[in-house]
Amino acid sequence: MPFTKRKAHGSSKTAVWTTALLASSMLTAVTAHGQTSPAGAVALEEVVVTAQKRSENLQDVPVSIQALGQAKLEQLQVQSFTDYVKYLPSVSFQTTSPGFSNVYMRGVASGGDGNHSGPLPSVGIYLDEQPITTIQGALDLHIYDIARVEALAGPQGTLYGASSQAGTLRIITNKPTTTGFSAGYDVEGNIIDHGDPGYVLEGFVNQPISDKVAVRLVGWAEHQGGFIDNVAGSRTYPTSGVTVTNTNRVKDNYNDVDIYGGRAALRVEAGDNWVITPTIMAQQEKVGGLFSYDPSVGDLKVAHYYPENSNDKWWQAAMTVEGKIANLDVVYAGSYLDRDVDTHQDYTDYSYFYDTLAGYGAYWTDNAGNPVDPSQYITGHDAYAKVSHEIRVSTPQENRFRVVGGLFYQRQTHGIYQNYQIDQLGTDLSVPGYPHTIWLTQQKRIDRDSAVFGEASFDITDKLTLTAGIRFFKSDNSLKGFYGYGAGYGSTGEKACFKPAEIEGSPCTNLDKETKENGNTPKVNLTYKIDSDKLVYVTYSEGFRPGGINRRGTLPPYHSDYLKNYEFGWKTTWADNRFRWNGAVFLEKWNGFQFALLGANGLTEIKNAGAAEIKGVETDFTFAVSHGFTINGSAAYTDAALTKNYCGFVDAQGNPETNCPAPEAPDGTALPVTPKFKANVTARYEFDLGGYDAFVQGSAAGQTSNWTDLRILERGIIGKQSGYVTADFSAGVGRDNWTFQAFLENAFDKRASLNRYAECAETVCGTQVYIVPNQPRTFGVKFGQKF
């Protein structure tokens, strides 16, 4: 209950090593050296989760949950999003560099490019009770002092709302506790094959201030060594004959990363019935270089000409209030998130290929009319702000009839600044007020959504439970500002302005649109408990994603899209609680789905497509083989394909056209991004070594091939991503309060492809394909203590 004192996860009182692993898909904690039944057999520990916004035993929750507990996160050396997502088979993603990942679940992916003016995400990401999904994507939070990471597969639109159309990821932090002092730290050093060394420093302190107040302080600093080389290159533009070189940009291992951050949380017990937990967290992530390579140049090599880096700074202030009014549990969760991302990007591919195909370089001259080097580079700044409030009330869980319901409000803003520059560009061709700027985007996007939601459960018998829920929502999306060229070129940009500037710094306004929608998402679940160790369930649920405004103002708004989910699942425990096996089979129908693509001039265009169907199965197991020896694994099979043609155009109202003689993707085309099969397995053995607690561990994770684009022509240009399997190994010893371990990640130096892309439209820049690899083989050692 929210008003009782509870011991925080990660306390110094917990065992240094755990004997059994956490299941990779259903939240996975087991006791150190296992629990023992009367017969002395090893047993798995009960796990409590909050997926349905109330505390429950994982095995009693009729939801497909893939998750990693704190012990598993530490055992797998998880420090970032890409580290843990490979152990969540229902989750897939596209990425270009740290901080720029698009997350998908259960194959609900159209291959949108993740541009700053693209659709809202289809997967919601929460930090504790607060949503942290920004319009462009999720925060790249360093994983330390985290109680668990949960992945709730399938639509979570009833309890979690708009950006949980296909599922929800939840990052649950360790909370302050008044039960006593605890602290810990970890120090790591590592070296990347083909790259540079790195380090990680982490620490936490939990300090009671009184019997009613406690504070928890957490900090981290990380340096990731680079492994991509920017090598010497040159390029001659055919129209002007100008040759450019990158001599001053040549550098080995230039994609290094530095991350600094911290968290402070306070626990205040106000009387016997209320707990207030204010939290503030901040992080800065500085990324240098490109995280992809050009196979035509060489393995882990690229030849680029202008600065490439990002500086991602964010902070979040949040507060949770938990308590009781009569016999009702009441929770308020509110937060304010501020995120600023500064970027620099080489854009010479766009310049070169447009010049090669269309004589692009002839248009760009200096003030005297002489041709200039047409190479482009981009300076960008994205300013996000997000405020959210939720209040919910729930009746006692032991009641035969129980209810949870509440109100939600969220407002997101995104200030967009993208400055495309050509050195020495003439004043007449530049955007007014921005010397040498060929194209400027300066806009403000606002997304608002509000909802009232509720779920009710009724125990028809002691074995059969019916749950029904619904969420009524309203959404409001607006976009205004300036985009385009100056008056000296083209018919868009300044020439299309219809009123003075409304966004500070822009020359005028040529886009000012808004769209509003409302609707509801229902859910019905029937759960049958076979016995105390086994249950089965069937669920029908819906998820939605709001529509929005196209940055190209001549296009109509795109509509919201809905996902309908039909699911059968099971939660089972066998062999005197030594073996846990859970899973789900599902069918999902995705109608009028939003599809984003790079159109003319590299502008993102979002259109609704026809329909798709996704069929699949996901499963996981944990087996405590014997004292000290545990095996766990998880897998997902996903078959996602169009059920109507994608023609590439919509009618005047924005509805997709599906009847055309030459569809860009015909009925039956496989959806991109998600592989058909993804799986992982981990084995860990713990034993006594001369009075020390020792362990050895091995993990393997892999997936089959996948496409990066929906359209047949474009996917043929970019190519298919091959499947891969990677392996990680670790071993260590510990005694009392200290541990030491060594690890080898990507042990066989497998070069997996996390993304393939071109820097502009595939039909223009597609002969220059970039591959985002996983991190090469990495060896590291780590020492830690807890007090």
Side-chain angles (χ1 to χ4, degrees):
M1 302 300 286
F3 57 91
T4 58
K5 296 182 180 180
R6 292 165 295 185
K7 185 171 181 176
H9 294 284
S11 162
S12 61
K13 303 299 183 182
T14 56
V16 173
W17 302 113
T18 56
T19 299
L21 291 178
L22 309 174
S24 290
S25 296
M26 303 295 187
L27 186 66
T28 56
V30 295
T31 56
H33 305 295
Q35 294 179 335
T36 56
S37 68
V42 175
L44 303 176
E45 184 185 62
E46 176 183 289
V47 177
V48 175
V49 296
T50 54
Q52 298 188 116
K53 300 202 172 183
R54 53 181 178 262
S55 297
E56 299 172 284
N57 180 355
L58 171 73
Q59 293 302 101
D60 294 332
V61 180
V63 176
S64 180
I65 307 172
Q66 302 170 335
L68 304 169
Q70 178 172 342
K72 187 66 175 288
L73 294 170
E74 294 174 352
Q75 291 167 4
L76 295 174
Q77 311 297 329
V78 169
Q79 294 171 347
S80 68
F81 167 79
T82 53
D83 289 336
Y84 67 73
V85 74
K86 68 180 180 181
Y87 295 102
L88 302 176
S90 294
V91 182
S92 55
F93 69 101
Q94 287 181 311
T95 186
T96 53
S97 70
F100 297 91
S101 296
N102 301 304
V103 187
Y104 308 98
M105 294 185 75
R106 281 191 174 176
V108 182
S110 61
D113 64 359
N115 187 282
H116 51 67
S117 298
L120 285 169
S122 63
V123 173
I125 301 183
Y126 279 67
L127 179 60
D128 293 321
E129 294 283 348
Q130 292 81 12
I132 58 170
T133 313
T134 60
I135 293 170
Q136 183 172 343
L139 302 181
D140 190 21
L141 174 67
H142 179 82
I143 302 298
Y144 177 70
D145 196 46
I146 299 299
R148 61 185 184 270
V149 175
E150 297 179 357
L152 283 59
Q156 306 297 322
T158 303
L159 294 180
Y160 291 95
S163 284
S164 292
Q165 178 191 47
T168 302
L169 287 176
R170 304 181 68 226
I171 302 170
I172 315 290
T173 63
N174 286 324
K175 305 301 189 296
T177 174
T178 58
T179 58
F181 170 83
S182 62
Y185 70 89
D186 290 284
V187 179
E188 176 188 315
N190 57 66
I191 180 71
I192 302 173
D193 274 17
H194 324 287
D196 285 339
Y199 64 82
V200 183
L201 305 173
E202 303 164 320
F204 78 91
V205 175
N206 184 93
Q207 176 64 62
I209 299 173
S210 71
D211 62 346
K212 298 287 188 180
V213 180
V215 64
R216 193 177 189 95
L217 304 176
V218 185
W220 56 88
E222 178 181 3
H223 175 74
Q224 300 173 16
F227 52 87
I228 302 290
D229 298 337
N230 193 24
V231 300
S234 64
R235 188 169 257 172
T236 300
Y237 290 92
T239 299
S240 63
V242 171
T243 297
V244 295
T245 63
N246 67 344
T247 305
N248 62 336
R249 294 290 166 195
V250 172
K251 184 180 179 182
D252 289 344
N253 308 321
Y254 84 134
N255 64 321
D256 58 340
V257 181
D258 286 290
I259 302 173
Y260 308 95
R263 181 175 81 245
L266 189 68
R267 176 184 175 91
V268 179
E269 299 175 8
D272 295 329
N273 291 339
W274 294 89
V275 173
I276 304 170
T277 311
T279 304
I280 188 164
M281 185 182 302
Q283 180 176 284
Q284 180 177 20
E285 183 173 43
K286 300 177 71 173
V287 178
L290 198 68
F291 268 75
S292 57
Y293 68 95
D294 181 349
S296 67
V297 176
D299 181 39
L300 303 179
K301 299 182 186 301
V302 71
H304 273 201
Y305 300 85
Y306 287 91
E308 296 172 297
N309 53 65
S310 67
N311 186 3
D312 186 352
K313 298 174 291 184
W314 60 266
W315 62 272
Q316 184 204 50
M319 184 169 69
T320 302
V321 180
E322 306 167 89
K324 289 185 74 70
I325 298 178
N327 68 338
L328 301 177
D329 290 325
V330 179
V331 177
Y332 163 79
S335 68
Y336 178 81
L337 172 67
D338 185 277
R339 182 186 187 188
D340 289 279
V341 185
D342 292 294
T343 55
H344 294 90
Q345 180 182 345
D346 182 296
Y347 209 42
T348 52
D349 282 10
Y350 176 97
S351 311
Y352 176 77
F353 287 109
Y354 266 99
D355 190 33
T356 301
L357 297 174
Y360 157 96
Y363 298 104
W364 313 123
T365 60
D366 59 21
N367 287 330
N370 301 312
V372 298
D373 174 3
S375 299
Q376 285 190 41
Y377 57 94
I378 308 169
T379 301
H381 178 77
D382 293 283
Y384 305 93
K386 182 188 187 84
V387 61
S388 66
H389 301 279
E390 178 174 299
I391 185 167
R392 64 179 184 271
V393 178
S394 56
T395 59
Q397 297 180 45
E398 63 270 16
N399 290 358
R400 185 178 183 185
F401 178 74
R402 51 202 176 273
V403 177
V404 58
L407 303 172
F408 177 82
Y409 173 77
Q410 176 177 263
R411 183 180 188 269
Q412 306 179 73
T413 63
H414 180 190
I416 305 166
Y417 172 78
Q418 296 280 305
N419 187 335
Y420 295 71
Q421 296 175 270
I422 296 178
D423 289 339
Q424 301 177 345
L425 184 68
T427 304
D428 291 343
L429 293 174
S430 299
V431 175
Y434 293 86
H436 316 305
T437 293
I438 174 181
W439 178 287
L440 178 72
T441 299
Q442 195 148 17
Q443 299 171 341
K444 185 174 184 179
R445 173 174 172 173
I446 302 177
D447 290 75
R448 307 173 183 87
D449 57 278
S450 56
V452 55
F453 62 89
E455 275 192 4
S457 298
F458 178 66
D459 295 330
I460 301 172
T461 70
D462 60 349
K463 292 181 175 292
L464 186 65
T465 299
L466 175 66
T467 299
I470 193 165
R471 189 182 189 97
F472 296 96
F473 66 87
K474 290 184 178 180
S475 64
D476 184 340
N477 176 288
S478 64
L479 183 63
K480 68 168 58 177
F482 176 86
Y483 71 99
Y485 301 105
Y489 178 77
S491 60
T492 60
E494 191 181 3
K495 288 184 178 179
C497 283
F498 51 82
K499 60 181 177 180
E502 293 194 7
I503 303 301
E504 184 179 356
S506 62
C508 50
T509 298
N510 60 14
L511 176 62
D512 188 355
K513 288 188 174 183
E514 184 176 11
T515 182
K516 299 181 179 181
E517 296 178 289
N518 61 76
N520 65 82
T521 52
K523 172 185 174 180
V524 179
N525 171 275
L526 191 64
T527 300
Y528 181 71
K529 201 159 182 72
I530 300 170
D531 56 37
S532 60
D533 294 326
K534 302 175 186 65
L535 67 79
V536 293
Y537 67 87
V538 290
T539 297
Y540 170 78
S541 57
E542 291 186 11
F544 80 100
R545 179 170 49 166
I549 302 299
N550 267 290
R551 183 155 63 106
R552 190 185 298 280
T554 55
L555 294 177
Y558 54 95
H559 301 311
S560 59
D561 56 2
Y562 284 79
L563 183 71
K564 296 182 178 181
N565 173 61
Y566 307 85
E567 181 174 332
F568 168 76
W570 61 93
K571 301 283 185 76
T572 64
T573 305
W574 307 79
D576 293 326
N577 199 27
R578 289 177 57 192
F579 182 75
R580 180 181 296 151
W581 178 45
N582 301 330
V585 178
F586 59 88
L587 169 65
E588 296 183 334
K589 296 180 180 292
W590 195 17
N591 295 317
F593 64 86
Q594 297 166 14
F595 179 58
L597 57 94
L598 286 179
N601 303 122
L603 269 182
T604 301
E605 300 178 359
I606 305 103
K607 302 173 183 177
N608 290 88
E613 186 174 274
I614 303 141
K615 296 172 286 188
V617 58
E618 54 207 13
T619 187
D620 71 272
F621 73 92
T622 302
F623 183 28
V625 181
S626 63
H627 287 282
F629 183 34
T630 307
I631 301 174
N632 74 278
S634 58
Y637 173 82
T638 309
D639 183 7
L642 292 178
T643 55
K644 292 183 180 179
N645 292 334
Y646 171 67
C647 293
F649 53 89
V650 297
D651 63 21
Q653 289 73 44
N655 299 310
E657 297 282 4
T658 58
N659 186 11
C660 53
E664 294 188 27
D667 177 7
T669 299
L671 297 186
V673 181
T674 303
K676 278 204 168 183
F677 184 71
K678 181 181 178 183
N680 65 84
V681 63
T682 301
R684 183 180 178 94
Y685 180 58
E686 297 180 0
F687 55 96
D688 179 81
L689 182 65
Y692 291 88
D693 298 316
F695 81 91
V696 292
Q697 177 178 288
S699 300
Q703 64 182 55
T704 56
S705 60
N706 65 295
W707 297 101
T708 61
D709 199 288
L710 175 68
R711 300 161 295 173
I712 298 299
L713 175 61
E714 283 75 8
R715 67 167 51 176
I717 294 171
I718 295 297
K720 196 172 190 179
Q721 299 198 120
S722 299
Y724 60 88
V725 176
T726 61
D728 302 333
F729 300 100
S730 59
V733 295
R735 176 183 281 181
D736 300 326
N737 69 339
W738 64 266
T739 60
F740 175 82
Q741 57 187 302
F743 60 87
L744 188 62
E745 297 179 338
N746 192 10
F748 304 109
D749 202 25
K750 175 65 177 180
R751 197 74 71 242
S753 174
L754 305 182
N755 195 11
R756 293 173 66 97
Y757 68 94
E759 289 198 341
C760 70
E762 291 86 351
T763 53
V764 177
C765 296
T767 57
Q768 189 106 24
V769 175
Y770 296 87
I771 298 174
V772 180
N774 59 334
Q775 187 166 295
R777 178 170 46 223
T778 302
F779 173 75
V781 294
K782 187 173 184 177
F783 177 82
Q785 282 186 290
K786 286 187 171 66
F787 307 96

